[in-house]
Structure formats: C-alpha cells, structure tokens
C-alpha cells in the first residue's frame, strides 16, 4: 500500500516527519489506508500523518511516496482476518468437550453458540492486542522522494 504526500515538518532527530497526504483517484473505493490516515477517503480531504524518514535526505516541502511494508500489511491482515477465523473454528471444535463437561446435549445450536463465542473472544483478544502493540510498528515509511514536475 502506498500514498503520496508532501513533507510539512521534520522532528529534531530527522527520523520522523509529518506528511500531508490526500487520497488519490487511483484508490477510489479502497479504504485500506483510511485507518492509517484517520480519515474517510470519501471526504477527499488532506490529512497529516507521522512517518519514518528511513534516512532519506528529505526537507520540508519535498513530495514523497509513503509505503507500509509487505510484512506489516500481512501482519495486519492476519490479525484482522485470520485470528477471528481461527478462534471461530476453535470455538466450534471445543463445543463437544464443553457440552460433555457441563452435561448438556450436543446440538447444532450449541455448536453455533460455541463458534460465535470463539469469534467474540477473538475480537476481545484483538482489541487488547492492538491496545498493547507499539504504534510505531504500523507507521508508514518514506520509500521514495518524488520530483516535482
């Protein structure tokens, strides 16, 4: 995932920069970066985000290309899509054992309740995981300095 923006300020260490980004027409309908840039693309407004400079010799006013690494993108996709599916299946698979322990008959309704309970537990897990995670691990980085043409 990549975005284009303009550097509006650099921090004192030069490791991070504030970049003004605006959704581009190429990604119409895709909301992948809406969470990162904390806005709705439908609004088509500029937003300020903090990014890593990756030791590029950038200065205020430079146009840059920003990217979220493939590893980070895959990690986010697994957390959001993979974990709920895994917990859903675990809930469904554990239902016979739980029904046996508490002494009730195994029915389709019990399996549905078990699977949905696993799904609910996954959402709670994801919520606390995201709360504890270092926010810098999901910050975009400058991948290229664009020439103003």
């Amino acid at each position: 995932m990549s975005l284009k923006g303009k550097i509006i300020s650099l921090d004192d260490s030069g490791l991070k920069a504030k970049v003004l980004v605006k959704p581009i027409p190429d990604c119409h309908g895709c909301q992948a970066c809406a969470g990162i840039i904390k806005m709705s693309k439908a609004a088509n407004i500029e937003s300020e985000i903090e990014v890593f400079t990756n030791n590029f010799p950038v200065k205020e006013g430079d146009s840059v290309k920003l990217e979220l690494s493939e590893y980070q993108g895959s990690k986010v996709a697994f957390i959001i899509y993979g974990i709920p599916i895994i917990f859903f299946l675990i809930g469904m698979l554990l239902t016979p054992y739980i029904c046996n322990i508490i002494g009730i008959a195994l029915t389709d309704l019990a399996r549905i309740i078990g699977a949905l309970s696993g799904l609910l537990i996954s959402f709670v897990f994801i919520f606390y995981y995201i709360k504890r995670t270092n926010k810098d691990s999901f910050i975009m980085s400058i991948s290229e300095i664009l020439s103003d043409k």
Side-chain angles (χ1 to χ4, degrees), residues 97-104:
Y97 301 110
I98 295 170
C99 286
N100 190 24
I101 290 171
I102 61 176
I104 62 171

Side-chain angles (χ1 to χ4, degrees), residues 3-4 12 24 32 42 47 55 60 76 82 113 129 138 143 148:
L3 291 170
K4 293 178 183 174
D12 294 334
I24 55 175
S47 180
N55 295 324
E60 290 182 21
V76 169
I113 291 170
Y129 176 79
F138 296 110
S143 62
D148 292 325

Side-chain angles (χ1 to χ4, degrees), residues 40-147:
S40 170
K41 285 187 167 195
N44 201 27
I45 57 172
E46 294 179 331
S47 180
E48 185 179 305
I49 62 171
E50 190 172 67
V51 299
F52 287 118
T53 60
N54 283 348
N55 295 324
F56 275 96
V58 293
K59 57 187 180 299
E60 290 182 21
D62 284 349
S63 293
V64 293
K65 182 177 180 183
L66 310 172
E67 292 198 359
L68 186 65
S69 76
E70 289 181 23
Y71 168 75
Q72 291 169 332
S74 297
K75 185 177 176 181
V76 169
F78 175 74
I79 290 168
I80 292 177
Y81 297 112
I83 289 178
I85 291 171
I86 291 169
F87 276 70
F88 179 87
L89 293 173
I90 289 172
M92 190 183 304
L93 293 173
L94 289 179
T95 301
Y97 301 110
I98 295 170
C99 286
N100 190 24
I101 290 171
I102 61 176
I104 62 171
L106 178 62
T107 62
D108 289 340
L109 180 61
R111 281 202 186 263
I112 291 170
I113 291 170
L116 293 177
S117 297
L119 193 61
L120 180 65
I121 292 168
S122 75
F123 294 144
V124 171
F125 173 79
I126 291 169
F127 174 77
Y128 284 109
Y129 176 79
I130 290 173
K131 218 172 173 181
R132 283 189 31 195
T133 303
N134 181 4
K135 303 300 183 228
D136 284 349
S137 64
F138 296 110
I139 291 180
M140 298 184 90
S141 301
I142 295 174
S143 62
E144 183 180 345
I145 301 173
L146 304 171
S147 60

Side-chain angles (χ1 to χ4, degrees), residues 3-11 16-23 33-40 44-51 66 139-140:
L3 291 170
K4 293 178 183 174
K6 185 169 280 207
I7 295 180
I8 54 176
S9 69
L10 293 165
D11 71 354
K16 288 185 181 179
K18 289 197 188 262
V19 178
L20 197 60
V21 294
K22 183 177 181 180
C33 60
I36 293 172
I37 59 178
K38 297 185 180 33
M39 67 173 200
S40 170
N44 201 27
I45 57 172
E46 294 179 331
S47 180
E48 185 179 305
I49 62 171
E50 190 172 67
V51 299
L66 310 172
I139 291 180
M140 298 184 90

